Amino acid sequence: MANLNGTTSDLRAKFLAVYDVLKSELLNDPAFEWTEGSRQWVERMLDYNVPGGKLNRGLSVIDSYMLLKGKDLTEDEVFLASSLGWCIEWLQAYFLVTDDIMDNSQTRRGQPCWYRVPKVGMIAVNDGILLRNHIPRILKNHFREKPYYVDLLDLFNEVEFQTASGQMIDLITTIEGEKDLSKYSLPLHRRIVQYKTAYYSFYLPVACALLMAGENLDNHVNVKDVLIDMGIYFQVQDDYLDCFGEPEKIGKIGTDIEDFKCSWLVVKALELCNEDQKKILFEHYGKENPSDVAKIKALYHEINLQGAFEEYESKSYEKLTTSIQAHPNKGLQAVLKSFLGKIYKRQK
Ligand code: GPP
Ligand code: MG
Ligand code: MG
Ligand code: MG
């Protein structure tokens, strides 16, 4: 039976079962002399940070691989596609654990950010490094003999580099003493979110499925382009939800206004504001004080940013649908459509 995500509940259960297998292999990694304490630490850290999200990225690898093959997968193929899916969830856990420190965030997935858990603190930095190191270990355990092994390693390395570069430009626009709203623009926003979000969240799952299907990634540049555009739309939604989403639903409390982020909302606000409203923006954006944040939020309501977002959302949907329909390969069309269906008008 297909659930709202278009993934069968059976497949979701199989995917979750693979997490236990991978975790157990990592907790018995022969390259380290485990003790009771170290094993307990890593197990708790993994359970806290890896499986608790929407799992969209991970499940998409299985979905996409199935649509590319055009027939049911063998048990072995489901296991392998799930393992790659989990590698992306591990990558995501590594990014989120460290991003929450950099963004000074409070909560994630409805619980305190890992670094805010008592006795964790800055050990979370090393946990992030461990999460990142688990990925090539999982790949080595299950893909070493595959003809596409080198391409997989290269793919994860490229995408991690792109994400860290995007994160770098996300962060350096907020440097204390250099805060300047007039440098914020739609092209700068696009550059940040393309790199920090789109490659790892949208291109990576499909690229993993393409490699499993024996494809050469160089032949799929147009699929990549559509996925990048979808990823940009996804991060605009994330920026919108940071301010207008319900923390109970999105599982996190927004920090973009306090952090002086180059969010889609502030870029759009700069476009819509009159001179007086711009003064409010320049005076109160990027301050910790709740009364400054409240002034920015009131201004966002006054200029109907929600309406501007809804317009952006339907225009993006139309554009993406048109690009998907222009794609010659039916299997890939189905992959892209399934992705778009999962995120259109998301509330979390
Ligand atoms: C999302 O930004 C981007 C990431 C989580 C990538 C982080 C990359 C690193 C190399 C650490 P965000 O801060 O808007 O996400 P969220 O709203 O979930 O905190
Ligand atoms: Mg961030
Ligand atoms: Mg963040
Ligand atoms: Mg965000």
Side-chain angles (χ1 to χ4, degrees), residues 317-336:
Y317 186 78
E318 272 173 41
K319 267 195 209 153
L320 288 164
T321 308
T322 309
S323 336
I324 293 170
Q325 276 159 356
H327 205 281
N329 179 316
K330 289 282 169 219
L332 281 166
Q333 261 195 23
V335 168
L336 296 168

Side-chain angles (χ1 to χ4, degrees), residues 6 38 52 87 105 182 225 305:
S38 54
C87 284
S105 293
S182 59
D225 292 341
L305 261 189

Side-chain angles (χ1 to χ4, degrees), residues 15 18 25-26 28 31 39 41 58 66 88 91 123 137 171 203 231 251 275-276 322 325 331 336 347:
F15 183 64
V18 174
E25 288 168 358
L26 292 165
N28 294 290
R39 194 176 271 122
W41 181 273
M66 207 150 45
I88 304 179
L91 186 71
I123 299 175
R137 309 194 76 73
L171 294 166
Y203 174 60
E275 287 310 311
D276 289 340
T322 309
Q325 276 159 356
L336 296 168
Q347 304 282 318

Side-chain angles (χ1 to χ4, degrees), residues 72-313:
D72 280 345
L73 306 179
T74 64
E75 287 295 308
D76 194 42
E77 288 171 330
V78 171
F79 181 86
L80 284 179
S82 301
S83 301
L84 284 186
W86 280 113
C87 284
I88 304 179
E89 294 296 334
W90 246 268
L91 186 71
Q92 160 86 337
Y94 152 53
F95 288 153
L96 296 184
V97 162
T98 49
D99 175 74
D100 283 337
I101 301 172
M102 297 182 242
D103 289 348
N104 193 27
S105 293
Q106 299 284 344
T107 56
R108 166 77 61 191
R109 296 171 175 171
Q111 53 183 11
C113 300
W114 177 238
Y115 81 101
R116 293 207 181 256
V117 170
K119 298 185 192 169
V120 178
M122 286 307 126
I123 299 175
V125 174
N126 195 62
D127 288 333
I129 296 172
L130 275 179
L131 286 164
R132 189 254 173 264
N133 275 275
H134 286 165
I135 298 162
R137 309 194 76 73
I138 296 171
L139 294 176
K140 192 165 156 182
N141 281 339
H142 297 283
F143 295 89
R144 196 179 18 200
E145 310 293 338
K146 300 285 176 200
Y148 53 85
Y149 179 54
V150 175
D151 294 316
L152 263 184
L153 289 175
D154 187 55
L155 174 66
F156 273 88
N157 282 332
E158 291 296 303
V159 166
E160 185 189 356
F161 173 68
Q162 288 167 314
T163 310
S165 302
Q167 180 78 344
M168 179 258 303
I169 50 177
D170 169 284
L171 294 166
I172 63 176
T173 55
T174 70
I175 290 174
E176 216 51 61
E178 294 175 26
K179 290 183 182 175
D180 176 13
L181 268 189
S182 59
K183 70 191 171 195
Y184 283 180
S185 65
L186 224 41
L188 173 64
H189 177 264
R190 189 186 170 86
R191 205 167 114 75
I192 292 173
V193 306
Q194 170 174 354
Y195 284 94
K196 80 166 176 175
T197 300
Y199 287 100
Y200 94 88
S201 303
F202 285 80
Y203 174 60
L204 181 58
V206 176
C208 282
L210 283 166
L211 286 179
M212 272 195 79
E215 293 288 325
N216 181 337
L217 296 179
D218 294 338
N219 297 334
H220 294 284
V221 179
N222 44 1
V223 182
K224 186 178 189 162
D225 292 341
V226 180
L227 287 163
I228 297 309
D229 283 341
M230 231 186 271
I232 292 168
Y233 161 56
F234 177 86
Q235 184 60 37
V236 173
Q237 291 174 313
D238 182 85
D239 289 355
Y240 173 79
L241 293 170
D242 185 275
C243 173
F244 293 107
E246 294 169 42
E248 304 75 40
K249 272 195 199 157
I250 59 172
K252 57 190 183 188
I253 299 165
T255 52
D256 287 350
I257 296 174
E258 290 90 331
D259 291 346
F260 196 77
K261 289 292 176 172
C262 180
S263 157
W264 184 86
L265 295 177
V266 76
V267 171
K268 198 71 198 169
L270 283 164
E271 217 178 279
L272 297 173
C273 278
N274 62 32
E275 287 310 311
D276 289 340
Q277 292 167 325
K278 254 190 199 163
K279 275 191 196 126
I280 299 179
L281 217 48
F282 273 76
E283 194 176 328
H284 300 285
Y285 197 71
K287 306 228 162 100
E288 273 300 320
N289 200 319
S291 73
D292 290 299
V293 177
K295 288 204 177 72
I296 298 295
K297 288 202 175 182
L299 179 64
Y300 283 179
H301 281 283
E302 196 179 307
I303 59 174
N304 189 22
L305 261 189
Q306 278 167 295
F309 171 76
E310 277 159 27
E311 193 186 314
Y312 168 89
E313 175 143 66

